[in-house]
Amino acid sequence: MTTLATLPIVIPLLAGALALALGRSIAGRRTISLIASGASAAVAAILLVAVDNDGAVVVAVGGWTPPFGIELVADRFSALLLVASTVALFAVLVYAVSQRATDEEFRGFHAVYQILGAGVALALLTGDLFTMFVAFEIMLTASYVLLTHRADGTETRPAISYVVIGLVASALFLISIGLIYGVTGTVNLADLSVRLDAVPPGLRSGLGWLLFMVFGIKAAIFPLFFWLPDSYPVAPTPVTALFAGLLTKIGVYAIIRTQTLLFPSDEPSTFMLVIAGLTMIVGVLGAIAQTDIKRILSFHIVSQIGYMIMGLGFGTVAGVAAAIVFIVHQIIVKASLFLVGGLVEESEGTGAIDAVNGVARRSPIIAALFLPAALSLAGFPPFSGFVGKLALVEAGFAANAWIIVGVSLAASVLTLFSMTKIWAGVFWGTPNTTERRITPRGMALATASLVAFSLVIAVAAEPIVSYAERAADDLIVERIIAAMPEGVSS
Amino acid sequence: MTWTIAITAGVLFGAGTYLILQRLLSRIIVGLGLIAHAANLILLGSGGAPGEPPLLDEASAGPYSDPLEQALVLTAIVITFGITAFLLALAYRSWTEQGSDEVEDDREDLRIARRREAKP
């Protein structure tokens, strides 16, 4: 049981080391990487069931009794996100392997990819603030390498701004940890949730907003999102899809984890709701102004983050549950949309809307993959985005937050508009050339499996929403018990 | 002691911020280094007043330093060191490929500026 919670971190780390050791054999690297990602996804699924049935799993790493040692905690919230992340990691890996170019050009691709996976798992499973910093660094350093390895002369600037912003955010994270440790004398999350109660409210909320800003940079909320649409589109498709699906959501995970556990509030947070609304609107307006598929989708990442912050801002169990469902939906759908964008680029040579026409006629498969993913992003019934948005809207009505619900619906309409812009520009019309290009089957299959997974979320909406409600209940109502290992009294 | 740390960290942070806002990549990297130092100092300062070395020694019963934040700072230093080295490599590549150390203008900004010039 306890090994189960360490496996999602250990498997990719070992696989990364092996992939490095295998240096020359590309087939070997691919096999190791695929096996490791598949195994992580399977372990995550088992962990999810185990955690849901028997409660949170707590592992004291190295045998040190909490709160002194490093702890891994898998509760319902982290287990669910772990499943979504590992599934996305696996599907994107299959795509990258069948695309061939990405991992043939860059020998270290699989090693770095696995290390990124390990960082994501550690960020989700860690039970203390400093280990979360280390996890973020593992994840970000791997992402720096993935983003920059191909960067030629013209592309270094966006890559550099990504690294610099990441470093500044890390420094701020360290400073917040230092201040929190100075005030409370601990970095263990469960222990902090108790000790912060003794801290004066002004100081406590100051620390809370500092952490919110740190994770806000990672999550790309308004007004801290400018680096994202700038840097993401320059990477190879599998890398962009992975970043889009995972990295910002891990930031949102950290926001939800720390805000609910350390800085809980019983009433809706007006500040958070305002930020959420601005993130949605500014992000979607940015998307409308763009003319390249990947850039449009990058702005939508920002816009959709607003919905998650909105769910958290309601401060209710229903709101957080809706945010959790929405994160899971976004991890899958965002990654699959970028993969479809990559398919278009692969078969047409460019992703510029003006330059591509009639993809629906040339490659109906790509069109058939884009449509459900795009409608899902816009929140069209019966796709997975609808499930998340419906839950958010209901939570908003329950919290009497009419304005933000209206804003979110307006942003949805604009999202739909932006998706129809891609559809009309890229998929409709007469093809420019009659030259046939073949879409690699593995890439289409990987994309299709992610799209299918998002449809599963829509079909299995009832169990997923009720699971998310249990997870949110753990976070908000029983916030201490969920993370505090048994035998350690508060 | 705490005051010295606080003021030094503040000055480092200010100087680092100033350097990050410059156009030359080498200055940005130095600025990041300063900010990282400031963060490490704050982390170190959070452990409270210094005392005896935190060694397991039954004989000395005096107040000893908090070992945890020293461990945290060590980890943080290693991480920043690695990433700074990476950034330096990136800067070197940018310099060999473009012949200058300057951070380019944002392409979106240029596009908007050109559009404005076209439509007086």
Side-chain angles (χ1 to χ4, degrees), chain A residues 397-431:
Chain A
F397 285 162
N400 282 325
W402 303 95
I403 301 174
I404 187 72
V405 168
V407 170
S408 79
L409 293 177
S412 293
V413 175
L414 292 173
T415 308
L416 185 62
F417 169 73
S418 158
M419 288 297 123
T420 50
K421 189 174 147 188
I422 298 185
W423 180 258
V426 173
F427 292 96
W428 269 348
T430 350

Side-chain angles (χ1 to χ4, degrees), chain B residues 1-112:
Chain B
M1 184 64 191
T2 322
W3 277 106
T4 330
I5 288 184
I7 291 169
T8 319
V11 171
L12 282 174
F13 210 93
T17 311
Y18 174 77
L19 283 174
I20 281 190
L21 299 176
Q22 303 285 309
R23 286 305 286 268
L24 290 182
L25 199 49
S26 44
R27 290 190 178 201
I28 293 177
I29 295 174
V30 173
L32 282 172
L34 290 185
I35 287 186
H37 285 327
N40 288 337
L41 261 185
I42 290 178
L43 207 52
L44 197 62
S46 69
E52 295 287 307
L55 301 175
L56 194 61
D57 179 14
E58 305 286 330
S60 69
Y64 56 89
S65 288
D66 184 348
L68 181 75
E69 107 278 336
Q70 301 182 8
L72 301 188
V73 168
L74 266 182
T75 318
I77 288 176
V78 174
I79 292 174
T80 357
F81 170 73
I83 297 178
T84 311
F86 177 73
L87 203 57
L88 277 172
L90 209 59
Y92 180 69
R93 182 162 73 184
S94 159
W95 183 75
T96 44
E97 291 192 354
Q98 289 169 16
S100 91
D101 190 29
E102 205 158 289
V103 177
E104 294 164 65
D105 286 319
D106 187 65
R107 251 180 279 156
E108 285 285 294
D109 281 354
L110 284 179
R111 195 167 62 103
I112 292 167

Side-chain angles (χ1 to χ4, degrees), chain A residues 154 234 483:
Chain A
T154 52
V234 304

Side-chain angles (χ1 to χ4, degrees), chain A residues 138-454:
Chain A
I138 297 175
M139 191 172 89
L140 287 174
T141 311
S143 77
Y144 299 154
V145 177
L146 286 177
L147 187 77
T148 53
H149 93 271
R150 200 183 66 167
D152 47 22
T154 52
E155 307 289 15
T156 28
R157 194 203 51 78
I160 283 172
S161 68
Y162 178 74
V163 179
V164 168
I165 301 261
L167 266 179
V168 171
S170 302
L172 288 174
F173 195 176
L174 263 187
I175 289 171
S176 346
I177 291 176
L179 295 179
I180 288 174
Y181 182 73
V183 172
T184 59
T186 180
V187 286
N188 182 295
L189 285 175
D191 203 15
L192 272 176
S193 70
V194 181
R195 295 211 197 174
L196 274 171
D197 284 339
V199 171
L203 187 57
R204 184 179 193 174
S205 61
L207 294 172
W209 292 124
L210 194 58
L211 269 187
F212 183 71
M213 190 182 78
V214 168
F215 296 132
I217 299 178
K218 319 264 186 201
I221 59 174
F222 179 88
L224 308 165
F225 67 88
F226 294 98
W227 55 272
L228 189 147
D230 195 34
S231 54
Y232 275 19
V234 304
T237 303
V239 174
T240 316
L242 187 67
F243 287 11
L246 281 185
L247 297 192
T248 47
K249 278 63 179 183
I250 303 298
V252 177
Y253 164 83
I255 290 180
I256 294 183
R257 172 68 75 198
T258 50
Q259 294 297 323
T260 53
L261 188 64
L262 307 183
F263 312 100
S265 92
D266 298 331
E267 46 201 61
S269 157
T270 318
F271 177 73
M272 242 184 241
L273 292 179
V274 169
I275 291 281
L278 286 170
T279 310
M280 288 175 207
I281 292 297
V282 174
V284 80
L285 289 180
I288 287 173
Q290 296 296 323
T291 54
D292 179 273
I293 297 184
K294 275 190 186 170
R295 291 192 68 99
I296 293 178
L297 292 175
S298 295
F299 273 98
H300 280 300
I301 302 177
V302 176
S303 170
Q304 305 292 324
I305 296 291
Y307 289 88
M308 303 164 197
I309 304 297
M310 170 173 106
L312 176 63
F314 293 146
T316 57
V317 172
V320 174
I324 294 174
V325 175
F326 202 77
I327 296 176
V328 173
H329 141 77
Q330 274 295 306
I331 291 179
I332 303 298
V333 166
K334 241 323 128 21
S336 54
L337 270 174
F338 270 92
L339 292 183
V340 175
L343 285 176
V344 171
E345 283 185 1
E346 190 85 10
S347 85
E348 306 294 320
T350 170
I353 290 189
D354 310 333
V356 183
N357 272 315
V359 174
R361 201 169 296 173
R362 270 160 59 79
S363 353
I365 298 174
I366 301 182
L369 290 174
F370 178 78
L371 199 61
L375 290 178
S376 180
L377 185 78
F380 235 65
F383 299 105
S384 62
F386 176 70
V387 178
K389 282 186 183 166
L390 183 68
L392 280 171
V393 168
E394 278 177 354
F397 285 162
N400 282 325
W402 303 95
I403 301 174
I404 187 72
V405 168
V407 170
S408 79
L409 293 177
S412 293
V413 175
L414 292 173
T415 308
L416 185 62
F417 169 73
S418 158
M419 288 297 123
T420 50
K421 189 174 147 188
I422 298 185
W423 180 258
V426 173
F427 292 96
W428 269 348
T430 350
N432 300 349
T433 56
T434 47
E435 178 200 349
R436 282 205 73 79
R437 294 211 200 185
I438 304 153
T439 316
R441 207 170 284 162
M443 289 166 72
L445 200 68
T447 318
S449 66
L450 267 190
V451 173
F453 195 85
S454 85

Side-chain angles (χ1 to χ4, degrees), chain A residues 50-195:
Chain A
V51 166
D52 194 29
N53 290 336
D54 310 330
V57 181
V58 179
V59 186
V61 179
W64 294 87
T65 27
F68 300 110
I70 292 172
E71 260 186 280
L72 298 179
V73 181
D75 64 354
R76 290 196 175 100
F77 180 32
S78 49
L80 181 63
L81 288 203
L82 193 66
V83 170
S85 316
T86 46
V87 166
L89 274 160
F90 183 61
V92 173
L93 186 66
V94 172
Y95 184 96
V97 166
S98 31
Q99 188 199 23
R100 295 184 171 277
T102 309
D103 63 346
E104 276 167 9
E105 260 174 41
F106 176 32
R107 190 180 280 183
F109 176 79
H110 288 293
V112 179
Y113 192 92
Q114 291 302 328
I115 289 170
L116 191 139
V120 168
L122 184 61
L124 291 175
L125 291 176
T126 180
D128 83 47
L129 208 53
F130 192 78
T131 313
M132 194 183 269
F133 167 76
V134 175
F136 268 95
E137 287 309 306
I138 297 175
M139 191 172 89
L140 287 174
T141 311
S143 77
Y144 299 154
V145 177
L146 286 177
L147 187 77
T148 53
H149 93 271
R150 200 183 66 167
D152 47 22
T154 52
E155 307 289 15
T156 28
R157 194 203 51 78
I160 283 172
S161 68
Y162 178 74
V163 179
V164 168
I165 301 261
L167 266 179
V168 171
S170 302
L172 288 174
F173 195 176
L174 263 187
I175 289 171
S176 346
I177 291 176
L179 295 179
I180 288 174
Y181 182 73
V183 172
T184 59
T186 180
V187 286
N188 182 295
L189 285 175
D191 203 15
L192 272 176
S193 70
V194 181
R195 295 211 197 174

